[in-house]
Amino acid sequence: LTKMAFLCFFFFFFPEINDSEGHPSSSHQTLKGTSKWATSLENLLEDPEGVKRFREFLKKEFSEENVLFWLACEEFKKTQGKKQMQEKAKEIYVTFLSSKASSQVNVEGQSRLNETILETPHPLMFQKLQDQIFNLMKYDSYSRFLKSDIFLNHKKSEEQEENSPEAQTAAKRASRIYNT
C-alpha cells in the first residue's frame, strides 16, 4: 500500500482526525458554530445555540420579539389540523400582531390587520409578515450581532476549545501517521 493510498483510506474512515495544522482533514469540511452563523442569518437561525445567542443579543436591543415572531411563524407552518392552526394563529396574532400585543412586532400594513384573518388559517398566512421581520433582522440587527460582545466572546471560547490540548491530540496522531 502506498503512503498516499493509506492516507486516503485512513482519512476516509476517520474523517474526524485533523491534519498537522489542526484543520479537519475531511474533504467534506463543514462550518460549525460561530463560523457558520457568520455566513448567513439563515444558518444562524438553523442552530439552536445560534438562536439562543441571537435572542440574548436582541433582548439587549429591546427587539427580541422579532426573532420570537419569526420562530413562531416557522412552528405555525408545521401545524396540522384546522383547530390547532386556528389556536396557534390566534396566539401569534394576540402575542405579536394585534394593537394590544404583549410583544408587538412592527410590520407594514399592521394597522389593517384584524382578527378576521384567523377565521380561515393556512400555513403561509403569516409569510409576508414573517419575511418583513426576517429582512429587518437580516439588514439591521444581524450585522450588529456579528460585531457584538455576545457573538465575539462565543467565537473566542470556541477557538479556545479548538486549541485545547484534547483537540491537539488528534492532530498530533494524524501528523505522526502522515509523517511515517
Side-chain angles (χ1 to χ4, degrees), residues 26-91:
S26 169
S27 59
H28 308 303
Q29 201 168 17
T30 56
L31 295 174
K32 292 181 181 172
T34 55
S35 298
K36 190 171 183 180
W37 305 347
T39 60
S40 71
L41 179 58
E42 291 89 339
N43 285 339
L44 170 77
L45 293 171
E46 288 174 2
D47 183 342
E49 184 65 23
V51 170
K52 178 182 169 186
R53 300 297 174 167
F54 192 47
R55 279 185 63 188
E56 190 180 327
F57 169 75
L58 291 176
K59 197 178 283 189
K60 288 183 176 189
E61 289 210 334
F62 304 101
S63 60
E64 181 186 23
E65 67 277 359
N66 290 334
V67 74
L68 293 176
F69 172 72
W70 188 88
L71 292 167
C73 290
E74 285 298 293
E75 275 303 306
F76 178 74
K77 291 176 194 175
K78 300 172 193 169
T79 305
Q80 301 290 317
K82 187 176 179 180
K83 180 125 175 81
Q84 290 86 346
M85 203 173 274
Q86 283 176 320
E87 288 170 8
K88 282 193 178 189
K90 183 174 174 125
E91 188 179 312

Side-chain angles (χ1 to χ4, degrees), residues 2 20-21 45 68 103 105 119 123 133 140 157 162 169 180:
T2 67
S20 60
E21 279 118 41
L45 293 171
L68 293 176
S103 298
V105 291
E119 293 167 12
I133 292 300
D140 185 36
S157 69
E162 287 173 9
T169 305
T180 54

Side-chain angles (χ1 to χ4, degrees), residues 3 18 26 53 75 86 92 105 111 132-135 164:
K3 189 176 188 178
N18 296 333
S26 169
R53 300 297 174 167
E75 275 303 306
Q86 283 176 320
I92 289 172
V105 291
S111 59
Q132 283 182 40
I133 292 300
F134 179 84
N135 286 326
S164 71

